[in-house]
Amino acid sequence: MICLAFAGCDDAAIEDKTVRNPVDPRIARAAAYADALVSQMSLAEKAGQLLLIEVPATTDSTQLAALAQMIRQQQPGGIFLPQADRFVQAEIAYRCQQASPGPLWVAFDADHRSGSPPPFPKLRSLGATRSDSLAQRWGSALGREGRSLGAHLCFTSAVKVAPSGVLLANALGSDPDHIRPQSAAALRGIAESGIVPCLRPLPTADELPPDTAGHALISHHSAKQLLAHELAPLHDALAGQAPLLQHTLTTFAQLDSLPAAFSAFTTQTMLREGLRYEDVLFAPEFPQAEAVPGAAELRALCAGADMLLRPAAPLQIQQAIVQAVETGELSEAQLDEKVSRVLYRKALSGLDTLAVQQPDSTQLSGLAPREKALEWEITTAALTLLRDTESQIPLRHNAEEMKIATLAIGAKRRSPMQRAMEVHAPMDHYLLRENASEKACRSRLARLKRYDWVIVGLHAPLTQRVDTLPAPVRDLLADLESETRLVVAHFGEAKVLGELDTLTTVLTGYEDRPLTQKAAGQFLWGGVMGNGRLPTKVGSDLCAGDGLQRDRLLRLSYVEPEVVGANPVFLAAVDSILNHAIWQGTFPGCQVLAAKNGQVFLHKAYGHHDYTRTRRVRLDDVYDIASVTKIVATTLLAMQAYEEDTLHLNLPLKHYFPELDSNFITIRDVTPRELMLHQAGLPPGLGKLAYGYYTMVDSVDSLRNQFYAPQPDDSLFTVEVTDHLYFNQHYLDTIWHRLRTIRVDTNQGYKYSDVSMFLMKALLERIYERGMDTLLRRDYYLPMGLQTVGYHPLDRFDREKVAPTEDDRWWRKQQLQGHVHDHTTALFGGVGGAAGLFSDARDLAIIMQMLLNGGTYGGKRYFRASTVRKFVSRQAGSRRGLGFDMQRPVPQLDRGYCCISASPRTFGHFGFTGTCTWADPENDIVYVLLTNRVYPRARNGKINRLRVRQSVQEAIYASLGLSAAQCVVADSSAADSLRGISADSTLIAAQP
């Protein structure tokens, strides 16, 4: 293998590629250093300088001491870090450099990163992005990692050109014109970080299929043509930089009868003369010698290589080099030239004066956030939609019209893609072994053809097969294509992509990594954009550059916090606040969600449903959201009626209810605008109009039986209040009749009232002549793919999925679980304008995001942008929007329903049960917190006294660098009570 390296540490070396240029003082100093040191070294020390050995991954003190002793005795030219946790790598590098008598190169392999954090996507994924900026950031990330490890050399295949038809994992692609700008950007990123890139420009034999390994890699017949094609990116790199180069063992049949590593023609004619390369040349990694140790390595050195990369037996090879010099097989002048070249490069990079420093754990830990963000960007940008004949992607059909199934072929359990997809719509999941029999495939077909859509994932080891798809799997895909709408997502090698050319919709992610699968699942629903292009030709119909553009974001996506720039340390404050709130008895459990720019970066559940701690809160559990119903139910329908010109905000109620046009009716002149701004002068609740009916539950049987029954019937007791408690429907008319003459204080100004939304519900149902629950489900919840939000949750879910609210000992005499907590809404059957909805955090976030989007979600428009602006904007003479509560015009610390950092345009609502949701248009942030703070008693007011909802919100803003408060991040042990979060200015962060 050939490997080159940029002299990123020295600008002069970049400008002038002549190794021994005496004009520049730094070059002259490096040359003098190398010559002086070579003259003082023994043969064994010189031979040691030609070895770049791999060291074991260990943290054992005894083994580290032995490793240090070996470095002192053998004095190798450098070490190659093992694949291990970066903290282990940094410690090994430090110990070896500390033990080395002279400058020691430390190298790491960018092509095979592992350990912590997870490795970046492969080069083929980076190549699919066609993005020079991502390539440079990729290189910069490698450079930062190298510096933090104490490394100097980074081995990479960024200039490698893959043979046409072969999608190599560690190659940007097969088109040199495509590779050249990306590889240049990647190498520039590495070099600018102070790390020397070591280049592998050609594939090795084991990277190629059996039919090409051992034969010519190229279709050209001259070294000149090879330089113009396969080595074109390398030529560009050498033209502007000064990298190091590594040989490959692959045979050039048309150029030489020898492997490149043993070929003086390749080394001298092609590299030294053709590319004018005068720097360090690394030999390939030879397999463990079976006959004479060091024979292959010596042959490579004699052919022109300078250093041996990861030799199998370093001590034996060092001795073999010394013996070769003594016997004349390798002249001492040749040896001195190689050692001098190595030492010169080390000095030019500053290793001769570089102080050895202990690893900085803070610096090592600080790499993760930027790396995770870059990893996500590369992964999503690489997603390549190869075929979409009917423009089905992203999926944008109504959930109620779609019966969806997923099939993971080759996965042993539910795949990350399946889990990522199910958050957007209900669906059924199936698995199939990669070697499934024809009978098993037919069985799956019988089930799957009943669905409208089938999303198939092809996973490893199926996608790593050398041959073709198994016949039963190929036939299954063909049958599904004819029976239903089929989408195939391919993960892994590209060997089988060519067999999918008859399918309508094909997506490839290039790697079978959980993150790639997660991104693909979201891409199919429009949660992420993927505009990748195929890096090389595959099969007969797929060409390099193929790929369809899908650049519209339709739905929320789910990402790691680092992707949106959230600081994990500040975000840990959310854990502290909520865990301490649970510990203090503020509520037994909760859900929290936060999204930035349409990307959900925080979605967690805490605690339990109740204080028996028998069921933990799950992300899809539902809570009674109380007054949040006002904005995600009643106000939505009001906006719809306003757009349809059936709701006129300034016309009085008597216009919609002619029966109210009487001087005896107090509410006749109240307008919808006044109701939605709480300026109608209505009392907070129905009060005495309904109070008597609550107390009747304790009356003597003869009286109680007029109002309540333990079982429903078809004539009187049709209103279900809760389990085994049904109200006489005729008394609802009585309440409505009395409500018409309720006291209205026209001089009151703003006065929050649930009666307002009670009347708005009646008004909207009069306009549409249909129940509000039916309207909402038909027009909004089902089309948006919402899976939990709605009234009457026990009609849709098991009781254990619903968090309990109050243990009501006054009226209903039982624990409320799945029945609305609000008394008035319960008396009217659980469907209210002020309360009654149950939901999880995700569904509420989708509704709020739809409003932030100006009325669109999932590719469908629900409202005009002008309508949304009107309702979520502060109204004249009020601090509120129409139906929506809002942040104060001038936010104040410890005041208001929002944290101080939320912008004045922030809109949303609180709920009595301990819930809230807010959307900030200026910062594009959605925040949802759901609790059951009324359990077991509604008088528990700790959530307000401690301002838990506001403190969590402030922690979220602080994590994004948007906090307007003076945030204090403390160790969790200092948070001995929730008094510390009662002020927005104090955030208690979990200990990292």
Side-chain angles (χ1 to χ4, degrees):
M1 178 179 291
I2 301 174
C3 192
L4 299 174
F6 286 149
C9 299
D10 195 301
D11 294 337
I14 293 175
E15 295 171 1
D16 192 333
K17 298 170 288 300
T18 303
V19 174
R20 299 303 173 86
N21 183 352
V23 176
D24 191 303
R26 291 173 294 178
I27 293 179
R29 185 195 65 80
Y33 167 82
D35 292 340
L37 196 56
V38 168
S39 65
Q40 302 170 14
M41 299 174 74
S42 66
L43 277 180
E45 291 172 337
K46 293 176 183 179
Q49 281 298 304
L50 304 188
L51 305 180
L52 192 69
I53 65 175
E54 184 167 25
V55 293
T58 180
T59 56
D60 180 76
S61 58
T62 303
Q63 294 182 21
L64 286 174
L67 176 61
Q69 180 65 19
M70 183 271 290
I71 296 293
R72 280 190 290 271
Q73 291 179 349
Q74 295 187 32
Q75 300 185 34
I79 63 167
F80 208 109
L81 293 177
Q83 299 299 312
D85 181 279
R86 61 167 42 138
F87 294 94
V88 175
Q89 289 180 317
E91 182 64 22
I92 291 173
Y94 169 69
R95 294 293 188 94
C96 290
Q97 290 189 74
Q98 194 178 41
S100 178
L104 182 76
W105 258 334
V106 177
F108 69 103
D109 196 337
D111 294 342
H112 303 95
R113 291 172 74 248
S114 65
S116 175
F120 282 160
K122 298 292 186 182
L123 276 170
R124 66 176 170 219
S125 294
L126 181 62
T129 68
R130 296 291 178 99
S131 170
D132 297 348
S133 62
L134 283 177
Q136 181 159 353
R137 290 171 57 196
W138 176 87
S140 297
L142 289 174
R144 286 193 300 272
E145 180 174 12
R147 284 204 319 273
S148 69
L149 296 176
H152 318 105
L153 306 181
C154 172
F155 283 78
T156 175
S157 300
V159 297
K160 182 182 295 183
V161 178
S164 180
V166 180
L167 193 58
L168 295 183
N170 288 314
L172 290 168
S174 60
D175 183 356
D177 291 334
H178 154 227
I179 292 175
R180 290 160 90 160
Q182 263 199 305
S183 63
L187 299 178
R188 186 166 55 250
I190 297 174
E192 288 175 352
S193 299
I195 300 296
V196 181
C198 303
L199 309 184
R200 295 164 170 156
L202 292 170
T204 58
D206 59 358
E207 289 180 316
L208 301 174
D211 57 342
T212 58
H215 297 80
L217 283 175
I218 57 174
S219 58
H220 311 291
H221 299 282
S222 70
K224 182 178 179 180
Q225 288 175 308
L226 175 64
L227 291 171
H229 187 77
E230 273 80 357
L231 295 181
L234 175 61
H235 185 274
D236 289 353
L238 294 177
Q241 309 285 344
L244 308 185
L245 184 63
Q246 183 183 345
H247 262 311
T248 177
L249 274 171
T250 309
T251 302
F252 293 92
Q254 294 97 332
L255 300 178
D256 202 324
S257 60
L258 296 174
F262 303 151
S263 170
F265 170 81
T266 304
T267 302
Q268 298 300 326
T269 304
M270 291 185 57
L271 300 181
R272 297 296 188 193
E273 298 175 11
L275 291 175
R276 298 178 62 191
Y277 179 67
E278 301 179 10
D279 221 319
V280 178
L281 180 64
F282 291 88
E285 301 169 43
F286 297 98
Q288 180 72 44
E290 297 181 0
V292 182
E297 287 83 357
L298 279 173
R299 195 173 181 186
L301 291 175
C302 291
D306 297 314
M307 290 195 76
L308 302 174
L309 183 62
R310 291 194 275 209
L315 180 58
Q316 292 175 301
I317 291 173
Q318 185 177 12
Q319 294 169 348
I321 295 173
V322 171
Q323 185 177 1
V325 174
E326 292 173 343
T327 60
E329 183 179 354
L330 179 69
S331 71
E332 188 167 2
Q334 288 177 302
L335 178 63
D336 288 351
E337 182 183 3
K338 298 177 188 299
V339 175
S340 180
R341 187 178 284 125
V342 171
L343 293 173
Y344 168 78
R345 165 57 73 185
K346 289 181 178 180
L348 198 63
S349 300
L351 266 67
D352 58 325
T353 59
L354 189 66
V356 179
Q357 296 181 344
Q358 284 190 318
D360 186 342
S361 59
T362 303
Q363 185 182 29
L364 288 167
S365 301
L367 294 174
R370 297 170 74 175
E371 288 185 347
K372 284 186 178 180
L374 179 59
E375 182 185 20
W376 176 255
E377 288 188 56
I378 294 174
T379 300
T380 55
L383 293 172
T384 305
L385 187 60
L386 292 172
R387 193 171 290 105
D388 188 16
T389 307
E390 299 178 3
S391 298
Q392 300 177 142
I393 305 302
L395 302 169
R396 57 174 66 88
H397 300 274
N398 291 347
E400 73 271 21
E401 298 174 356
M402 301 170 63
K403 190 177 180 183
I404 308 171
T406 69
L407 174 65
I409 303 179
K412 296 180 179 180
R413 59 185 64 87
R414 185 174 296 184
S415 70
M417 186 187 81
Q418 291 175 310
R419 293 195 295 271
M421 292 194 68
E422 66 186 2
V423 303
H424 296 291
M427 58 188 66
D428 298 324
H429 302 296
Y430 297 90
L431 303 176
L432 186 68
R433 297 194 311 273
E434 71 277 2
N435 57 353
S437 65
E438 183 178 353
K439 180 180 179 181
C441 290
R442 285 200 305 268
S443 175
R444 278 288 175 261
L445 175 64
R447 284 180 173 270
L448 294 172
K449 67 181 182 181
R450 301 194 301 247
Y451 290 87
D452 301 312
W453 288 82
V454 177
I455 317 296
V456 175
L458 300 179
H459 302 276
L462 182 71
T463 54
Q464 294 176 341
R465 295 171 61 95
V466 174
D467 49 4
T468 63
L469 284 173
V473 173
R474 188 169 56 249
D475 294 342
L476 172 62
L477 295 179
D479 292 338
L480 286 172
E481 177 76 12
S482 62
E483 295 283 351
T484 185
R485 295 177 181 176
L486 177 66
V487 177
V488 174
H490 164 273
F491 303 101
E493 305 290 342
K495 300 183 181 76
V496 299
L497 272 179
E499 298 189 46
L500 308 178
D501 54 359
T502 61
L503 303 181
T504 301
T505 309
V506 179
L507 169 72
T508 183
Y510 303 105
E511 301 180 54
D512 197 24
R513 306 165 69 233
L515 189 68
T516 306
Q517 293 186 44
K518 179 181 176 182
Q522 298 190 59
F523 170 80
L524 294 176
W525 281 102
V528 299
M529 292 186 294
N531 296 317
R533 299 299 182 93
L534 196 62
T536 189
K537 177 180 175 63
V538 177
S540 58
D541 294 331
L542 297 175
C543 300
D546 281 358
L548 302 174
Q549 302 295 297
R550 292 294 183 268
D551 54 3
R552 290 185 61 201
L553 291 177
L554 302 182
R555 293 177 170 86
L556 287 173
S557 61
Y558 294 78
V559 301
E560 294 295 319
E562 294 84 355
V563 174
V564 297
N567 187 320
V569 175
F570 278 90
L571 201 58
V574 174
D575 296 336
S576 290
I577 293 167
L578 293 176
N579 285 327
H580 278 77
I582 292 170
W583 177 73
Q584 290 281 67
T586 309
F587 41 75
C590 63
Q591 294 173 1
V592 65
L593 183 147
K596 168 72 172 169
N597 302 329
Q599 297 174 297
V600 177
F601 64 93
L602 173 64
H603 189 198
K604 299 179 74 172
Y606 300 80
H608 298 78
H609 277 204
D610 55 39
Y611 292 110
T612 65
R613 301 171 64 86
T614 55
R615 177 182 167 92
R616 294 195 62 85
V617 177
R618 300 174 184 174
L619 292 178
D620 60 349
D621 287 342
V622 297
Y623 281 81
D624 183 338
I625 64 174
S627 287
V628 176
T629 301
K630 294 179 173 70
I631 63 171
V632 297
T634 313
T635 302
L636 292 185
L637 283 183
M639 293 167 67
Q640 176 178 315
Y642 173 81
E643 277 199 353
E644 295 170 350
D645 204 30
T646 55
L647 175 66
H648 303 278
L649 296 173
N650 294 317
L651 288 180
L653 287 181
K654 63 186 179 184
H655 172 78
Y656 303 96
F657 298 94
E659 65 271 23
L660 298 183
D661 192 5
S662 169
N663 291 333
F664 296 100
I665 306 300
T666 58
I667 62 173
R668 64 185 184 278
D669 294 322
V670 172
T671 66
R673 180 184 297 277
E674 292 171 332
L675 293 175
M676 300 190 76
L677 293 176
H678 297 275
Q679 293 179 340
L682 296 168
L686 292 180
K688 294 181 180 180
L689 301 183
Y691 184 83
Y693 299 110
Y694 305 145
T695 59
M696 286 300 176
V697 77
D698 291 324
S699 302
V700 296
D701 290 346
S702 59
L703 186 58
R704 179 184 188 276
N705 292 341
Q706 296 180 28
F707 298 94
Y708 296 101
Q711 300 297 331
D713 60 32
D714 296 333
S715 57
L716 294 178
F717 302 102
T718 60
V719 181
E720 184 179 11
V721 174
T722 187
D723 294 336
H724 309 300
L725 188 64
Y726 293 82
F727 187 57
N728 189 329
Q729 63 172 336
H730 293 309
Y731 289 102
L732 299 182
D733 292 334
T734 303
I735 295 174
W736 170 247
H737 180 78
R738 293 176 180 174
L739 176 61
R740 298 183 305 170
T741 58
I742 196 171
R743 184 175 181 272
V744 176
D745 186 353
T746 56
N747 297 320
Q748 182 69 37
Y750 170 76
K751 184 178 183 180
Y752 188 83
S753 171
D754 282 348
V755 180
S756 295
M757 288 302 180
F758 181 91
L759 291 174
M760 280 300 301
K761 172 180 177 292
L763 170 58
L764 292 166
E765 290 182 337
R766 174 65 66 91
I767 290 174
Y768 287 107
E769 299 181 345
R770 190 165 299 192
M772 192 162 72
D773 53 342
T774 302
L775 292 167
L776 288 165
R777 186 167 178 81
R778 181 196 69 189
D779 296 340
Y780 298 100
Y781 300 160
L782 286 177
M784 293 175 73
L786 307 185
Q787 301 181 50
T788 61
V789 66
Y791 297 98
H792 298 143
L794 297 183
D795 292 344
R796 297 174 287 125
F797 308 115
D798 294 336
R799 187 180 295 268
E800 66 175 9
K801 187 180 175 66
V802 185
T805 49
E806 186 180 8
D807 188 4
D808 185 358
R809 297 303 179 188
W810 174 62
W811 173 30
R812 287 161 282 194
K813 311 295 185 183
Q814 59 183 278
Q815 176 174 289
L816 302 177
Q817 188 171 10
H819 292 92
V820 64
H821 176 267
D822 180 73
H823 294 74
T824 301
T825 305
L827 199 63
F828 279 79
V831 179
L837 280 183
F838 288 73
S839 179
D840 63 10
R842 186 190 69 89
D843 281 4
L844 292 185
I846 289 175
I847 295 173
M848 301 303 284
Q849 187 65 46
M850 179 269 292
L851 297 171
L852 276 186
N853 294 346
T856 64
Y857 191 80
K860 180 175 180 178
R861 179 163 290 282
Y862 295 91
F863 301 107
R864 293 191 295 266
S866 58
T867 301
V868 175
R869 285 195 300 271
K870 182 177 185 64
F871 276 74
V872 304
S873 298
R874 203 178 318 278
Q875 302 296 300
S878 174
R879 68 172 180 83
R880 299 175 61 95
L882 289 168
F884 295 93
D885 201 353
M886 297 192 70
Q887 166 71 298
R888 290 169 172 260
V890 180
Q892 293 179 301
L893 190 64
D894 296 339
R895 303 292 298 274
Y897 295 122
C898 291
C899 73
I900 189 175
S901 298
S903 76
R905 293 176 56 202
T906 301
F907 60 89
H909 216 283
F910 261 30
F912 181 79
T913 53
T915 60
C916 72
T917 182
W918 298 101
D920 184 343
E922 290 187 13
N923 295 303
D924 203 358
I925 294 174
V926 170
Y927 162 55
V928 182
L929 179 65
L930 303 183
T931 80
N932 53 341
R933 71 96 193 163
V934 292
Y935 184 88
R937 298 288 183 269
R939 63 176 177 267
N940 179 4
K942 292 179 181 179
I943 194 171
N944 293 326
R945 292 197 302 273
L946 301 173
R947 294 180 61 80
V948 174
R949 287 173 281 198
Q950 295 90 335
S951 296
V952 171
Q953 189 179 21
E954 186 66 45
I956 290 168
Y957 276 75
S959 73
L960 294 167
L962 300 172
S963 178
Q966 183 65 35
C967 301
V968 178
V969 181
D971 187 280
S972 60
S973 61
D976 55 357
S977 73
L978 276 175
R979 289 184 302 141
I981 62 167
S982 60
D984 289 332
S985 61
T986 304
L987 301 175
I988 304 172
Q991 185 176 4

